[in-house]
Amino acid sequence: MYLLNSLRTRRRRLGVVAAATGLLAALLTAAPAVATPDPGDANTTPQRVSKSESAETRTAIANGEIPAPDEVVHSDNIEHLVNIPKDALPGTNSDLAFQGKYAYAGNYDGFRIFDISNPKAPKTVSQVLCPGSQNDVSVSGNLLFLSTDSSRSDDSCSSTPQPASVKSSWEGMKVFDISDKKNPKYVAAVETNCGSHTHSLVPHGRNVYIYVSSYSPSPSFPDCQPPHDGISIVKVPRDAPEKAAVVNFAVLFPGDGPDGGGNPGAPTNPGVSKTTGCHDITVLPSKDLAAGACMGDGILMSIKDPEHPKVIDQVQDNVNFAFWHSATFNQTAKKVVFTDELGGGGAATCNAAVGPNRGADGIYDIVGKGDQRKLVFRGYFKIPRHQADTENCVAHNGSLIPVEGRDIMVQAWYQGGVSVWDFTDSTKPKEIGYFERGPLTTDRLTVGGSWSAYYYNGYIYSNDIAKGFDVLKLSDRRTDPAREIHLDQLNVQTQPDYFD
């Protein structure tokens, strides 16, 4: 049992006073709050908090109950090796992908390639300017895929914002040739309905399929019409990526009404997001399975036929989940961890007032066989460290740490930092390590913190929205066996079979 390097986790008392106005007030009511998906999609202008909350934050810092602004704290089993600040791309840092000795870091202004052959001293290889929220990134062979989920004037990297109500506006998938890491080349673009908020790769022989997740249609958007109750599927020939094209729109929530068959949201389910598409899908190719986090629903899918995924179970949590955000399988495909992005990543939800079951992870066991498999709820996990009311904090992107016989993952929590936690017992998950910084500000809520935190070949890599690229080293007898596992590539939404 390791010792925390601080007693802050036991003493924190922040967050008990509800905010008086705005989004924070909604989040602290008895019912779940409607989520605003991801900070880049909403107004990220810092929001002032009440004088009492600001004073409470400063007092807690003075008393050593939370870290001071920019102060780094962590458990004894985690070492902070290095931080690489943002450089030529000043926008919001987003998702990460890995291949060999390289890390690919998304940013709302483009993407950055790091050489991580020495994790203690990553080197920037190139930075590509190609604006478009949210620029989630993945790689396969010599191809890099980039999601664009903001309406642009055209599909070029010099496009400008243009309303989605204009028919000529573009959003979707971009494809780059990265055979020369110092000079990536933009080779293809595929427009998809409602853009591409996130995407997941399904390798299949000489092709790569892309499951494109997007949502929030409107009758006024020519290329994003309701009900939008499924996902776009793009087929990319590896040898001819310029021929990439949409081959199917897979309806996942069929229904007779105008809104399809997903969660109707309010007023039927107050505070729950209406399902109009998916936020994120994680595929497990070795098991022909996928798990979808789809706004108001969690789903389990068979992907034996990658062009025609089939939903085999659908679940809802209309008490504690506001926005089903992402999914992670355990290695044996007997469990799925779903995240709830309460407040859309732009609100302070890691406090006593919101409590331990909202803005958390939901752990589901997979029971049964074949197409009769069901998702069965077992428990919630949320970081036990209360954050200030000036810190956006909620469950976000993470990955498995490959330890055979145990279920352990690392996860980003925005300004809640990076958490390592064990869910081997689905009903009794527990944190076993953490890393975080103090609040960006003490007088207003400012969006920042770790967007993605992933384990890759012995180290944890985190892409911090405001602070840049962090590398952490985890040393713990429970996770040390993972150092023996080395991958050639990691796109977290395409989970590998670590022990095959």
Side-chain angles (χ1 to χ4, degrees), residues 21-369:
T21 60
L23 178 59
L24 292 178
L27 285 166
L28 301 180
T29 59
V34 175
T36 303
D38 290 342
D41 300 338
N43 181 5
T44 58
T45 302
Q47 303 176 37
R48 288 199 173 275
V49 298
S50 68
K51 291 182 178 179
S52 62
E53 289 170 328
S54 180
E56 186 178 340
T57 299
R58 292 193 299 271
T59 298
I61 291 171
N63 292 340
E65 295 172 354
I66 67 169
D70 288 334
E71 180 185 0
V72 169
V73 297
H74 51 81
S75 52
D76 286 343
N77 57 355
I78 288 182
E79 179 185 358
H80 185 210
L81 297 182
V82 68
N83 169 262
I84 308 297
K86 291 193 289 187
D87 188 14
L89 305 175
T92 295
N93 276 341
S94 57
D95 213 2
L96 294 168
F98 305 89
Q99 188 181 64
K101 66 177 184 178
Y102 298 102
Y104 302 83
N107 178 286
Y108 278 42
D109 287 327
F111 63 92
R112 187 174 184 178
I113 303 178
F114 291 98
D115 181 336
I116 55 171
S117 53
N118 179 2
K120 295 182 179 180
K123 297 179 180 178
T124 298
V125 177
S126 59
Q127 299 184 71
V128 176
L129 179 65
C130 195
S133 160
Q134 63 183 21
N135 278 348
D136 271 17
V137 62
S138 60
V139 291
S140 181
N142 287 326
L143 300 178
L144 179 145
F145 305 93
L146 203 65
S147 283
T148 299
D149 192 34
S150 57
S151 186
R152 313 292 297 182
S153 56
D154 55 54
D155 63 8
S156 73
C157 284
S158 59
S159 66
T160 57
Q162 182 168 287
S165 56
V166 178
K167 175 61 180 172
S168 62
S169 295
W170 184 93
E171 51 187 325
M173 292 301 309
K174 294 170 181 170
V175 185
F176 290 79
D177 184 324
I178 52 170
S179 51
D180 180 357
K181 305 294 187 295
K182 294 182 179 180
N183 186 31
K185 296 180 180 179
Y186 185 12
V187 295
V190 181
E191 186 171 15
T192 56
N193 293 342
C194 302
S196 174
H197 195 72
T198 65
H199 69 269
S200 309
L201 301 188
V202 184
H204 193 75
R206 304 173 80 171
N207 302 302
V208 178
Y209 289 97
I210 308 175
Y211 287 179
V212 178
S213 296
S214 56
Y215 49 88
S216 296
S218 169
S220 65
F221 299 163
D223 298 320
C224 185
Q225 292 285 300
H228 192 68
D229 47 10
I231 58 172
S232 297
I233 299 179
V234 176
K235 182 178 180 180
V236 185
R238 294 181 187 274
D239 296 333
E242 67 279 2
K243 296 181 180 179
V246 175
V247 293
N248 188 25
F249 183 84
V251 175
L252 304 179
F253 303 97
D256 296 330
D259 299 323
N263 198 316
T268 304
N269 297 314
V272 178
S273 294
K274 176 181 177 181
T275 298
T276 57
C278 291
H279 180 279
D280 211 337
I281 293 171
T282 294
V283 300
L284 192 57
S286 64
K287 301 292 193 296
D288 288 328
L289 276 180
C294 302
M295 305 181 72
D297 295 87
I299 57 175
L300 187 67
M301 295 186 286
S302 168
I303 58 169
K304 289 181 180 178
D305 179 351
E307 289 191 20
H308 301 92
K310 176 184 177 181
V311 175
I312 57 179
D313 196 27
Q314 176 181 352
V315 292
Q316 299 177 354
D317 179 347
N318 294 319
V319 175
N320 288 313
F321 261 46
F323 188 87
W324 295 69
H325 175 276
S326 54
T328 302
F329 287 100
N330 75 334
Q331 181 53 43
T332 60
K334 297 297 184 182
K335 302 177 186 179
V336 181
V337 174
F338 289 103
T339 66
D340 172 27
E341 198 186 37
L342 173 68
T349 74
C350 297
N351 52 39
V354 173
N357 296 336
R358 297 163 58 202
D361 296 312
I363 305 162
Y364 286 74
D365 284 355
I366 301 174
V367 300
K369 296 181 179 180

Side-chain angles (χ1 to χ4, degrees), residues 363 378-381 422-430:
I363 305 162
R378 296 301 190 201
Y380 295 108
F381 170 77
D422 187 320
F423 61 104
T424 305
D425 183 339
S426 302
T427 65
K428 296 179 181 179
K430 58 182 179 180

Side-chain angles (χ1 to χ4, degrees), residues 2 75 77-78 381 383-385 399-401 403 407-413 416-423 429-435 453-455 460 472-476 478-479:
Y2 71 90
S75 52
N77 57 355
I78 288 182
F381 170 77
I383 56 172
R385 294 163 286 108
S399 75
L400 286 184
I401 298 178
V403 179
D407 298 324
I408 301 175
M409 67 180 290
V410 60
Q411 187 175 6
W413 288 78
V418 174
S419 175
V420 178
W421 61 287
D422 187 320
F423 61 104
K430 58 182 179 180
E431 184 174 79
I432 63 174
Y434 76 92
F435 163 87
Y454 299 145
Y455 185 91
I460 294 170
L472 311 175
K473 184 178 180 180
L474 174 64
S475 300
D476 190 293
R478 292 162 290 192
T479 59

